[in-house]
Amino acid sequence: MTDFSSVKGKVAIVTGAADGLGKAISLCYADNGMKVVISDINTDKGLTVVEGIKSAGGDAAFFKADVSNEEEVKNLIDFTVETYGQLDGLVNNAGIAADNRPIHEYSTAEFDWLMSIDLRGVFLGTKYAIEAILKSKSSGGFIVNVASLAGILGNSSMGIYSSAKHGVVGLTKSAALDYAPYNITVNAICPGTFRTSIWGETPEEIVNQYAKIFSPSGELGDPKEIGHLALFLASDLARYISGSAISIDAGSSAGKITPVQWTHPEILQ
């Protein structure tokens, strides 16, 4: 099989789906016939994503939920099952970042706040989604956790964020082993630096400078590529892939770049 027809009709939740990578994943899922529950704390943007999916002929619904709140996560899962009668998959995408600082300059309150969303939120989503997927007797259940390049590499001035994302990768690997006998795959996507609304009104010149620093290709990633990878992991094309932390970063995680003078630069002419 070389297409994604296996995902058609599957029901999936995407958290943090009102914008950025979560929105890209949701649109990709809907474009391929999946029923998607858009979840976010931003109701207006979330409903806009739903409207866009419906206007294109897709099937989507919105549910407002804070992933750090256990009751709201439970309600999100219940809403999905009540609306569509089943649950096949969850994308734990919701997350926050922290200001870049050395570890001793973070407060414990900042640490607790970030962990409550970036790690505890993934735990809660996985816990309750797995229960619903098992009860749904899904023939191809899946969890996709959006971690980060900072979840497989250390990064100066990003201690608490990197800690949370490393935790997500660890949780992913353990959950993959727990649920492999039940045909549920659990994988993590580890994005590098992508072109999303996080850049806000940053001048293009500055964005390009950052791209040259953070990406070996000198370009920021297109969120659609995250959507394509998440679609693959939700499909029957990837049933033997589980417990993986897949980097999507133009090679950033491959190693250190050493400047070198080519002997024959004329090949580029």
Side-chain angles (χ1 to χ4, degrees), residues 43-54:
T43 301
D44 291 340
K45 284 189 174 183
L47 288 172
T48 298
V49 175
V50 170
E51 291 168 5
I53 289 173
K54 288 184 173 181

Side-chain angles (χ1 to χ4, degrees), residues 72 124 147 263:
E72 291 187 19
L124 290 174
T263 305

Side-chain angles (χ1 to χ4, degrees), residues 29 90-93 122 126 130 141-148 168-177 179 183-190 229-235 237-247:
Y29 277 5
L90 165 70
V91 179
N92 282 308
N93 170 72
V122 174
T126 300
I130 286 289
F142 68 92
I143 302 287
V144 174
N145 296 322
V146 179
S148 169
V168 169
V169 171
L171 188 151
T172 297
K173 291 178 180 294
S174 294
L177 297 173
Y179 304 109
N183 199 31
I184 299 173
T185 62
V186 187
N187 291 289
I189 296 175
C190 300
L229 179 53
L231 177 67
F232 173 68
L233 293 174
S235 76
L237 297 173
R239 298 313 300 168
Y240 208 62
I241 300 174
S242 197
S244 294
I246 304 171
S247 59

Side-chain angles (χ1 to χ4, degrees), residues 95-220:
I96 58 173
D99 295 337
N100 287 21
R101 274 177 271 155
I103 289 172
H104 73 278
E105 292 188 353
Y106 289 112
S107 68
T108 53
E110 288 173 313
F111 176 88
D112 291 342
W113 178 59
L114 186 138
M115 289 292 174
S116 72
I117 297 171
D118 286 8
L119 183 54
R120 185 174 187 268
V122 174
F123 160 73
L124 290 174
T126 300
K127 171 181 169 57
Y128 291 109
I130 286 289
E131 292 177 357
I133 293 169
L134 290 170
K135 290 177 182 177
S136 298
K137 309 296 183 186
S138 176
S139 61
F142 68 92
I143 302 287
V144 174
N145 296 322
V146 179
S148 169
L149 179 58
I152 53 179
L153 297 175
N155 199 317
S156 63
S157 76
M158 294 177 65
I160 61 175
Y161 180 78
S162 184
S163 297
K165 293 302 185 178
H166 271 75
V168 169
V169 171
L171 188 151
T172 297
K173 291 178 180 294
S174 294
L177 297 173
D178 284 339
Y179 304 109
Y182 308 97
N183 199 31
I184 299 173
T185 62
V186 187
N187 291 289
I189 296 175
C190 300
T193 309
F194 278 73
R195 186 177 289 276
T196 67
S197 60
I198 195 171
W199 296 97
E201 301 299 321
T202 305
E204 190 66 19
E205 177 184 335
I206 302 299
V207 173
N208 289 335
Q209 288 178 8
Y210 272 95
K212 288 181 173 60
I213 295 171
F214 292 116
S215 172
S217 69
E219 298 179 355
L220 298 180

